[in-house]
Amino acid sequence: MIVLCLGYTLSQFLRISVGVLAPELMDTLHISHENMGVLGGVFFLSFAFFQIPSGILLDRFGPRRVMSIVILFAFLGSVLFALADNYHSLLIARILMGFGCSICLMGSLVLITKWAPSNFSVLAGTILGIGGIGGLLATTPLSMLADTYGWRSAFWISAIVISIIALLYFIIIRDDPKVVDDGEEEIMKDSLNILKIIRQRDFKFMVPMSLMSYSSFVVVLGLWGASYLKDIQGLNSMERGNILMLMALSWNIGSFVFGYLNKFFGGYKRVIMFGSCGIILFLIIISFIPILDLNYLFILFSLFGFFGAFPVALIAHYQSLHDKIHMGKALTTANFFNFGGVFLIQWITGKIIFFINGGALVASKQSYVCAFLFVAFSLFIALIIYMFSNEKKITTGESHE
C-alpha cells in the first residue's frame, strides 16, 4: 500500500501543480487565460486517452510491468517542464506527465480488486486520502519552493522521485495472489472488447457523472482557484497557497470519509448526491459572494475540498458492477471519461473567461461567475442522469443494453 500511495501522491502533485503556479507562469511566459486552460487541461486529456489502452495492458500483462514502464513518461515530462522556456514546451511536458501518471491510480485499484475486493471502497479511499498529500505539496510548499528556488526546481525533484517510484513498482508489486485458472484465461482472451463495458445500461447513465465529478473540483484547485483568489479576492501568493493547501487537505480527509459513507447512507447513489450537491452549492456561493475576510475563505474552500472527494464513491460504484477479471478495462474506461471531463471543463472554462474578459491577463468577476455557474449547471444535469443508474451487480457476459 505504501508504494501505491507514493505513486498516487506524485500523480496528484503533478496534476495540481499548474494551479498554484498559474499566475507566475502567465506573467513570466505571457500565457493567456485561454492557453492556461489548455495547459492545465492537457494533462488530463493525455491521462484520459491512455485509460482504455492501460486497462487492456493491465488485464493482459499485470500492474507490475505496466506501472513500472508507463510512469517513466512522467519522468520525461518533468525533465522537459523544468527545461521549458515557452508555452509549447510546457504543453508537451504536460502531455508526457499525464501519460505517465495515468497508470498510478488505476493500476492500484486493479491490485486492490485482485488482493482485497471486499475492502475496495475503504482501501481506494485510503490511497486517495494519503496520495492526496501530493495535492497539499502542490499548494503552499510548492509556492514557497518556487519563491525561493524557482518553479523549475520542483520538477527536477519530481523527476528524481519518479525514478525511485518506478524502481519500487518493479521490485515490490506482485500482480495476483493466485494463479489464473482456465476459466479466467478464456475471459482474458476477450480483453480487447471494450464495447462490452461501454454498452452496459448503467455505464451509460454513469458516464456524465464521470465527466463532471472530478472535473468540477479540479477546475478550482488545479486551475482557476489561485487566479480567482488573486483577481477577485486580492490575495497574495502565500495567502492563495495556504487556502488551496487547506482545500487539498480537506479533500484528503474527505477521501477517507467518503470511502465509508456507502455503509452510512445505504448506497452509492445517495453518497454521490450528497457530494454533488455540496459542490454545486459552493460554486454558486463563490460566484456571487463579495470580497470576504481571509478566515471565511479558508472555511468556504475547506468545505469545497471535503465535498470534492465524493468521486471515490463513484469509483466504488463502478467496481461493484463488474467482475474482477474485467476490472482493469472497466475502471480505466470509466476513468477515460473522468479525466477527459477534466480537460473538457478546463478548456471550456478557459474559453469562457477569455471570451468574456476580452483576452486581458486580469480576469473580471463576471468571467469567473459565468465559468463557475457553467460547471455547477453541468454537474446538476449529470446528477439527474446518474440517478437513473442502479446498484445491481452486472454478471459476466451480460450486455445490459
Side-chain angles (χ1 to χ4, degrees):
M1 281 292 290
I2 295 176
V3 68
L4 299 181
C5 290
L6 184 61
Y8 187 63
T9 298
L10 184 279
S11 177
Q12 279 286 87
F13 174 82
L14 291 180
R15 74 179 65 168
I16 299 298
S17 58
V18 167
V20 74
L21 296 175
E24 287 73 23
L25 292 174
M26 293 173 69
D27 290 341
T28 57
L29 297 180
H30 307 292
I31 300 174
S32 68
H33 285 89
E34 181 180 22
N35 285 339
M36 197 65 223
V38 175
L39 185 63
V42 75
F43 176 102
F44 300 95
L45 181 65
S46 172
F47 195 113
F49 273 129
F50 191 64
Q51 288 305 290
I52 294 177
S54 69
I56 296 172
L57 292 174
L58 287 168
D59 285 343
R60 280 288 180 94
F61 301 108
R64 177 173 173 263
R65 283 180 288 178
V66 177
M67 294 173 74
S68 301
I69 294 172
V70 172
I71 198 173
L72 293 177
F73 286 93
F75 169 84
L76 296 176
S78 295
V79 171
L80 180 57
F81 203 94
L83 295 172
D85 59 0
N86 58 71
Y87 168 72
H88 292 98
S89 296
L90 294 177
L91 199 65
I92 295 171
R94 290 284 287 174
I95 291 172
L96 290 172
M97 289 179 191
F99 178 55
C101 292
S102 64
I103 204 68
C104 295
L105 180 59
M106 289 300 103
S108 300
L109 297 183
V110 170
L111 283 167
I112 292 174
T113 300
K114 291 176 178 290
W115 286 86
S118 61
N119 293 319
F120 181 90
S121 181
V122 172
L123 292 177
T126 300
I127 290 178
L128 289 170
I130 296 177
I133 293 172
L136 289 173
L137 295 175
T139 55
T140 297
L142 176 58
S143 181
M144 294 174 62
L145 183 65
D147 288 342
T148 306
Y149 299 104
W151 55 266
R152 299 178 191 275
S153 61
F155 296 94
W156 285 118
I157 295 172
S158 296
I160 296 172
V161 173
I162 292 169
S163 62
I164 295 172
I165 292 173
L167 183 61
L168 292 175
Y169 276 168
F170 188 78
I171 294 174
I172 296 176
I173 288 177
R174 294 294 177 266
D175 290 333
D176 204 306
K178 63 182 180 62
V179 178
V180 178
D181 61 33
D182 293 339
E184 289 183 340
E185 286 180 355
E186 289 300 315
I187 299 177
M188 290 287 282
K189 295 178 181 178
D190 194 36
S191 64
L192 289 174
N193 197 346
I194 300 297
L195 288 178
K196 283 191 175 181
I197 304 295
I198 297 176
R199 289 164 57 189
Q200 289 166 355
R201 174 193 177 275
D202 291 317
F203 192 92
K204 296 173 184 176
F205 287 118
M206 294 168 71
V207 162
M209 183 55 71
S210 289
L211 290 170
M212 291 306 308
S213 59
Y214 188 52
S215 62
S216 60
F217 168 73
V218 177
V219 75
V220 177
L221 179 63
L223 188 58
W224 300 124
S227 297
Y228 166 83
L229 292 171
K230 176 189 176 185
D231 296 341
I232 307 304
Q233 298 294 333
L235 304 187
N236 61 41
S237 61
M238 188 59 65
E239 291 170 335
R240 298 194 301 266
N242 287 338
I243 287 179
L244 295 180
M245 181 173 69
L246 190 57
M247 178 179 171
L249 177 61
S250 298
W251 185 89
N252 295 351
I253 296 171
S255 295
F256 287 107
V257 174
F258 276 96
Y260 288 92
L261 282 184
N262 173 50
K263 297 178 181 178
F264 179 79
F265 281 98
Y268 298 112
K269 292 170 68 174
R270 295 176 183 176
V271 177
I272 291 169
M273 180 184 292
F274 173 66
S276 298
C277 289
I279 294 293
I280 293 170
L281 181 61
F282 168 84
L283 291 169
I284 293 173
I285 290 174
I286 65 169
S287 295
F288 296 108
I289 59 172
I291 296 176
L292 288 181
D293 179 79
L294 188 61
N295 291 327
Y296 290 115
L297 289 174
F298 273 118
I299 294 172
L300 187 60
F301 277 75
S302 296
L303 289 172
F304 177 64
F306 175 82
F307 283 103
F310 82 88
V312 67
L314 185 64
I315 295 172
H317 191 181
Y318 275 114
Q319 186 269 346
S320 71
L321 296 177
H322 297 87
D323 300 303
K324 70 176 183 178
I325 197 65
H326 292 300
M327 199 56 63
K329 295 190 300 297
L331 292 179
T332 54
T333 302
N335 220 31
F336 166 79
F337 294 101
N338 190 20
F339 282 85
V342 175
F343 168 77
L344 185 65
I345 293 302
Q346 294 197 353
W347 176 68
I348 292 176
T349 53
K351 286 283 188 181
I352 291 172
I353 293 174
F354 179 82
F355 176 76
I356 294 177
N357 203 46
L361 289 179
V362 178
S364 65
K365 182 173 182 179
Q366 183 183 7
S367 62
Y368 286 112
V369 168
C370 292
F372 292 151
L373 289 182
F374 165 77
V375 176
F377 178 75
S378 299
L379 179 58
F380 177 70
I381 297 300
L383 178 60
I384 292 175
I385 297 172
Y386 170 77
M387 295 309 294
F388 287 96
S389 67
N390 61 61
E391 301 184 44
K392 179 182 178 182
K393 182 174 177 60
I394 299 173
T395 57
T396 304
E398 291 178 343
S399 64
H400 288 259
E401 297 182 69

Tab-separated table of all heavy atoms in Angstrom, residues 176-209:
chain	number	residue	atom	x	y	z
A	176	ASP	N	-0.882	-10.795	-8.591
A	176	ASP	CA	-2.068	-11.562	-8.210
A	176	ASP	C	-1.705	-12.553	-7.118
A	176	ASP	O	-0.648	-13.178	-7.175
A	176	ASP	CB	-2.609	-12.319	-9.437
A	176	ASP	CG	-4.082	-12.657	-9.309
A	176	ASP	OD1	-4.452	-13.272	-8.296
A	176	ASP	OD2	-4.855	-12.312	-10.217
A	177	PRO	N	-2.588	-12.733	-6.125
A	177	PRO	CA	-2.295	-13.686	-5.051
A	177	PRO	C	-2.485	-15.139	-5.450
A	177	PRO	O	-2.214	-16.033	-4.677
A	177	PRO	CB	-3.303	-13.304	-3.965
A	177	PRO	CG	-4.456	-12.726	-4.724
A	177	PRO	CD	-3.837	-11.994	-5.884
A	178	LYS	N	-2.961	-15.404	-6.658
A	178	LYS	CA	-3.192	-16.782	-7.086
A	178	LYS	C	-2.925	-16.930	-8.571
A	178	LYS	O	-2.817	-15.959	-9.301
A	178	LYS	CB	-4.634	-17.207	-6.795
A	178	LYS	CG	-5.669	-16.407	-7.564
A	178	LYS	CD	-7.064	-16.862	-7.187
A	178	LYS	CE	-8.123	-16.071	-7.954
A	178	LYS	NZ	-8.027	-16.246	-9.392
A	179	VAL	N	-2.827	-18.160	-9.016
A	179	VAL	CA	-2.625	-18.446	-10.424
A	179	VAL	C	-3.939	-18.318	-11.163
A	179	VAL	O	-4.988	-18.741	-10.676
A	179	VAL	CB	-2.064	-19.879	-10.614
A	179	VAL	CG1	-1.903	-20.205	-12.086
A	179	VAL	CG2	-0.730	-20.013	-9.886
A	180	VAL	N	-3.928	-17.722	-12.344
A	180	VAL	CA	-5.140	-17.584	-13.140
A	180	VAL	C	-5.606	-18.945	-13.625
A	180	VAL	O	-4.829	-19.727	-14.168
A	180	VAL	CB	-4.872	-16.664	-14.359
A	180	VAL	CG1	-6.114	-16.554	-15.224
A	180	VAL	CG2	-4.411	-15.294	-13.889
A	181	ASP	N	-6.874	-19.251	-13.397
A	181	ASP	CA	-7.394	-20.553	-13.800
A	181	ASP	C	-7.844	-20.537	-15.256
A	181	ASP	O	-7.829	-19.510	-15.917
A	181	ASP	CB	-8.530	-21.009	-12.874
A	181	ASP	CG	-9.712	-20.060	-12.886
A	181	ASP	OD1	-9.982	-19.455	-13.939
A	181	ASP	OD2	-10.376	-19.931	-11.833
A	182	ASP	N	-8.248	-21.731	-15.750
A	182	ASP	CA	-8.606	-21.855	-17.163
A	182	ASP	C	-9.769	-20.967	-17.528
A	182	ASP	O	-9.807	-20.383	-18.611
A	182	ASP	CB	-8.940	-23.325	-17.495
A	182	ASP	CG	-7.707	-24.213	-17.384
A	182	ASP	OD1	-6.584	-23.661	-17.455
A	182	ASP	OD2	-7.867	-25.437	-17.217
A	183	GLY	N	-10.765	-20.870	-16.618
A	183	GLY	CA	-11.925	-20.041	-16.918
A	183	GLY	C	-11.554	-18.582	-17.077
A	183	GLY	O	-12.055	-17.892	-17.960
A	184	GLU	N	-10.650	-18.118	-16.227
A	184	GLU	CA	-10.242	-16.724	-16.306
A	184	GLU	C	-9.392	-16.487	-17.540
A	184	GLU	O	-9.406	-15.414	-18.113
A	184	GLU	CB	-9.485	-16.326	-15.040
A	184	GLU	CG	-10.402	-16.223	-13.831
A	184	GLU	CD	-9.650	-15.767	-12.595
A	184	GLU	OE1	-8.407	-15.897	-12.575
A	184	GLU	OE2	-10.303	-15.293	-11.659
A	185	GLU	N	-8.625	-17.506	-17.968
A	185	GLU	CA	-7.828	-17.353	-19.183
A	185	GLU	C	-8.725	-17.139	-20.390
A	185	GLU	O	-8.391	-16.389	-21.309
A	185	GLU	CB	-6.955	-18.587	-19.387
A	185	GLU	CG	-5.776	-18.642	-18.421
A	185	GLU	CD	-4.925	-19.876	-18.628
A	185	GLU	OE1	-5.326	-20.726	-19.459
A	185	GLU	OE2	-3.876	-19.987	-17.976
A	186	GLU	N	-9.883	-17.789	-20.401
A	186	GLU	CA	-10.820	-17.586	-21.500
A	186	GLU	C	-11.332	-16.155	-21.516
A	186	GLU	O	-11.494	-15.541	-22.566
A	186	GLU	CB	-11.995	-18.569	-21.373
A	186	GLU	CG	-11.625	-20.005	-21.667
A	186	GLU	CD	-11.099	-20.172	-23.086
A	186	GLU	OE1	-11.724	-19.608	-24.020
A	186	GLU	OE2	-10.075	-20.829	-23.260
A	187	ILE	N	-11.612	-15.624	-20.309
A	187	ILE	CA	-12.083	-14.247	-20.232
A	187	ILE	C	-10.993	-13.288	-20.651
A	187	ILE	O	-11.242	-12.274	-21.296
A	187	ILE	CB	-12.568	-13.931	-18.803
A	187	ILE	CG1	-13.732	-14.842	-18.435
A	187	ILE	CG2	-13.012	-12.477	-18.694
A	187	ILE	CD1	-14.241	-14.660	-17.019
A	188	MET	N	-9.718	-13.617	-20.315
A	188	MET	CA	-8.599	-12.754	-20.671
A	188	MET	C	-8.472	-12.602	-22.184
A	188	MET	O	-8.051	-11.568	-22.686
A	188	MET	CB	-7.299	-13.322	-20.108
A	188	MET	CG	-7.200	-13.234	-18.600
A	188	MET	SD	-6.903	-11.576	-18.024
A	188	MET	CE	-5.156	-11.450	-18.357
A	189	LYS	N	-8.854	-13.637	-22.919
A	189	LYS	CA	-8.787	-13.552	-24.374
A	189	LYS	C	-9.722	-12.492	-24.919
A	189	LYS	O	-9.554	-12.008	-26.029
A	189	LYS	CB	-9.143	-14.915	-24.991
A	189	LYS	CG	-8.137	-16.014	-24.668
A	189	LYS	CD	-8.583	-17.338	-25.266
A	189	LYS	CE	-7.598	-18.445	-24.913
A	189	LYS	NZ	-8.035	-19.764	-25.442
A	190	ASP	N	-10.718	-12.118	-24.118
A	190	ASP	CA	-11.705	-11.132	-24.557
A	190	ASP	C	-11.349	-9.718	-24.084
A	190	ASP	O	-12.170	-8.822	-24.133
A	190	ASP	CB	-13.079	-11.522	-23.993
A	190	ASP	CG	-14.215	-10.767	-24.665
A	190	ASP	OD1	-14.118	-10.525	-25.877
A	190	ASP	OD2	-15.162	-10.410	-23.947
A	191	SER	N	-10.095	-9.528	-23.659
A	191	SER	CA	-9.731	-8.274	-23.005
A	191	SER	C	-9.752	-7.068	-23.916
A	191	SER	O	-9.712	-5.941	-23.450
A	191	SER	CB	-8.344	-8.396	-22.362
A	191	SER	OG	-7.362	-8.612	-23.361
A	192	LEU	N	-9.789	-7.283	-25.233
A	192	LEU	CA	-9.833	-6.145	-26.149
A	192	LEU	C	-11.239	-5.610	-26.357
A	192	LEU	O	-11.410	-4.547	-26.949
A	192	LEU	CB	-9.233	-6.546	-27.509
A	192	LEU	CG	-7.722	-6.763	-27.546
A	192	LEU	CD1	-7.314	-7.296	-28.911
A	192	LEU	CD2	-6.970	-5.488	-27.241
A	193	ASN	N	-12.260	-6.347	-25.869
A	193	ASN	CA	-13.634	-5.974	-26.161
A	193	ASN	C	-14.148	-4.930	-25.172
A	193	ASN	O	-14.902	-5.227	-24.257
A	193	ASN	CB	-14.540	-7.214	-26.148
A	193	ASN	CG	-15.858	-6.942	-26.845
A	193	ASN	OD1	-16.214	-5.798	-27.116
A	193	ASN	ND2	-16.579	-8.002	-27.125
A	194	ILE	N	-13.747	-3.686	-25.383
A	194	ILE	CA	-14.175	-2.580	-24.530
A	194	ILE	C	-15.666	-2.294	-24.716
A	194	ILE	O	-16.333	-1.790	-23.813
A	194	ILE	CB	-13.360	-1.313	-24.850
A	194	ILE	CG1	-11.868	-1.580	-24.609
A	194	ILE	CG2	-13.807	-0.133	-24.009
A	194	ILE	CD1	-11.526	-1.899	-23.193
A	195	LEU	N	-16.195	-2.648	-25.880
A	195	LEU	CA	-17.603	-2.349	-26.162
A	195	LEU	C	-18.531	-3.010	-25.151
A	195	LEU	O	-19.613	-2.485	-24.864
A	195	LEU	CB	-17.969	-2.797	-27.574
A	195	LEU	CG	-17.383	-1.958	-28.715
A	195	LEU	CD1	-17.782	-2.558	-30.062
A	195	LEU	CD2	-17.846	-0.515	-28.605
A	196	LYS	N	-18.140	-4.149	-24.612
A	196	LYS	CA	-18.979	-4.815	-23.614
A	196	LYS	C	-19.151	-3.947	-22.377
A	196	LYS	O	-20.176	-4.009	-21.708
A	196	LYS	CB	-18.369	-6.169	-23.223
A	196	LYS	CG	-18.605	-7.258	-24.253
A	196	LYS	CD	-18.211	-8.607	-23.689
A	196	LYS	CE	-18.561	-9.721	-24.662
A	196	LYS	NZ	-18.204	-11.057	-24.125
A	197	ILE	N	-18.126	-3.170	-22.070
A	197	ILE	CA	-18.208	-2.264	-20.928
A	197	ILE	C	-19.091	-1.068	-21.279
A	197	ILE	O	-20.018	-0.711	-20.539
A	197	ILE	CB	-16.802	-1.782	-20.521
A	197	ILE	CG1	-15.874	-2.974	-20.222
A	197	ILE	CG2	-16.889	-0.835	-19.324
A	197	ILE	CD1	-16.269	-3.791	-19.046
A	198	ILE	N	-18.811	-0.452	-22.410
A	198	ILE	CA	-19.483	0.789	-22.786
A	198	ILE	C	-20.969	0.578	-23.049
A	198	ILE	O	-21.793	1.466	-22.787
A	198	ILE	CB	-18.803	1.409	-24.024
A	198	ILE	CG1	-17.350	1.770	-23.682
A	198	ILE	CG2	-19.545	2.645	-24.506
A	198	ILE	CD1	-16.562	2.293	-24.850
A	199	ARG	N	-21.346	-0.596	-23.552
A	199	ARG	CA	-22.738	-0.835	-23.940
A	199	ARG	C	-23.643	-1.177	-22.764
A	199	ARG	O	-24.859	-1.255	-22.923
A	199	ARG	CB	-22.787	-1.970	-24.971
A	199	ARG	CG	-22.240	-1.558	-26.337
A	199	ARG	CD	-21.935	-2.775	-27.201
A	199	ARG	NE	-23.095	-3.615	-27.389
A	199	ARG	CZ	-23.051	-4.826	-27.955
A	199	ARG	NH1	-21.892	-5.330	-28.339
A	199	ARG	NH2	-24.156	-5.521	-28.105
A	200	GLN	N	-23.073	-1.369	-21.589
A	200	GLN	CA	-23.900	-1.702	-20.433
A	200	GLN	C	-24.798	-0.518	-20.054
A	200	GLN	O	-24.376	0.631	-20.077
A	200	GLN	CB	-23.008	-2.097	-19.255
A	200	GLN	CG	-22.338	-3.446	-19.453
A	200	GLN	CD	-21.216	-3.691	-18.477
A	200	GLN	OE1	-20.869	-2.804	-17.699
A	200	GLN	NE2	-20.633	-4.880	-18.524
A	201	ARG	N	-26.011	-0.816	-19.680
A	201	ARG	CA	-27.014	0.209	-19.410
A	201	ARG	C	-26.561	1.197	-18.327
A	201	ARG	O	-26.597	2.409	-18.523
A	201	ARG	CB	-28.323	-0.467	-18.969
A	201	ARG	CG	-29.392	0.535	-18.518
A	201	ARG	CD	-30.540	-0.151	-17.807
A	201	ARG	NE	-31.499	0.836	-17.326
A	201	ARG	CZ	-31.384	1.481	-16.166
A	201	ARG	NH1	-30.339	1.253	-15.378
A	201	ARG	NH2	-32.300	2.372	-15.803
A	202	ASP	N	-26.130	0.672	-17.185
A	202	ASP	CA	-25.760	1.548	-16.084
A	202	ASP	C	-24.536	2.392	-16.401
A	202	ASP	O	-24.416	3.531	-15.952
A	202	ASP	CB	-25.525	0.728	-14.814
A	202	ASP	CG	-26.815	0.130	-14.280
A	202	ASP	OD1	-27.835	0.839	-14.267
A	202	ASP	OD2	-26.814	-1.049	-13.902
A	203	PHE	N	-23.632	1.818	-17.173
A	203	PHE	CA	-22.433	2.561	-17.543
A	203	PHE	C	-22.811	3.837	-18.300
A	203	PHE	O	-22.232	4.903	-18.074
A	203	PHE	CB	-21.523	1.683	-18.409
A	203	PHE	CG	-20.145	2.238	-18.608
A	203	PHE	CD1	-19.108	1.887	-17.759
A	203	PHE	CD2	-19.873	3.124	-19.639
A	203	PHE	CE1	-17.835	2.403	-17.932
A	203	PHE	CE2	-18.608	3.646	-19.821
A	203	PHE	CZ	-17.576	3.287	-18.972
A	204	LYS	N	-23.798	3.732	-19.170
A	204	LYS	CA	-24.219	4.899	-19.961
A	204	LYS	C	-24.767	6.008	-19.065
A	204	LYS	O	-24.516	7.190	-19.312
A	204	LYS	CB	-25.284	4.475	-20.976
A	204	LYS	CG	-24.794	3.486	-22.026
A	204	LYS	CD	-25.938	2.986	-22.883
A	204	LYS	CE	-25.485	1.928	-23.859
A	204	LYS	NZ	-26.616	1.367	-24.643
A	205	PHE	N	-25.509	5.632	-18.028
A	205	PHE	CA	-26.069	6.634	-17.126
A	205	PHE	C	-25.018	7.217	-16.180
A	205	PHE	O	-25.204	8.308	-15.636
A	205	PHE	CB	-27.218	6.036	-16.314
A	205	PHE	CG	-28.474	5.821	-17.107
A	205	PHE	CD1	-29.001	4.553	-17.279
A	205	PHE	CD2	-29.139	6.902	-17.683
A	205	PHE	CE1	-30.172	4.360	-18.007
A	205	PHE	CE2	-30.308	6.719	-18.413
A	205	PHE	CZ	-30.823	5.440	-18.580
A	206	MET	N	-23.912	6.496	-15.995
A	206	MET	CA	-22.865	6.958	-15.085
A	206	MET	C	-21.813	7.821	-15.769
A	206	MET	O	-21.086	8.567	-15.100
A	206	MET	CB	-22.209	5.749	-14.413
A	206	MET	CG	-23.152	4.987	-13.486
A	206	MET	SD	-22.511	3.380	-12.957
A	206	MET	CE	-21.211	3.873	-11.839
A	207	VAL	N	-21.709	7.728	-17.090
A	207	VAL	CA	-20.679	8.478	-17.825
A	207	VAL	C	-20.768	9.988	-17.605
A	207	VAL	O	-19.739	10.634	-17.365
A	207	VAL	CB	-20.725	8.129	-19.323
A	207	VAL	CG1	-19.998	9.187	-20.162
A	207	VAL	CG2	-20.080	6.767	-19.559
A	208	PRO	N	-21.951	10.619	-17.693
A	208	PRO	CA	-21.987	12.080	-17.444
A	208	PRO	C	-21.451	12.465	-16.072
A	208	PRO	O	-20.778	13.495	-15.939
A	208	PRO	CB	-23.484	12.411	-17.575
A	208	PRO	CG	-24.023	11.367	-18.474
A	208	PRO	CD	-23.276	10.117	-18.104
A	209	MET	N	-21.711	11.638	-15.052
A	209	MET	CA	-21.163	11.933	-13.733
A	209	MET	C	-19.652	11.763	-13.721
A	209	MET	O	-18.937	12.511	-13.039
A	209	MET	CB	-21.819	11.037	-12.674
A	209	MET	CG	-21.357	11.313	-11.255
A	209	MET	SD	-21.542	13.038	-10.730
A	209	MET	CE	-23.322	13.162	-10.570
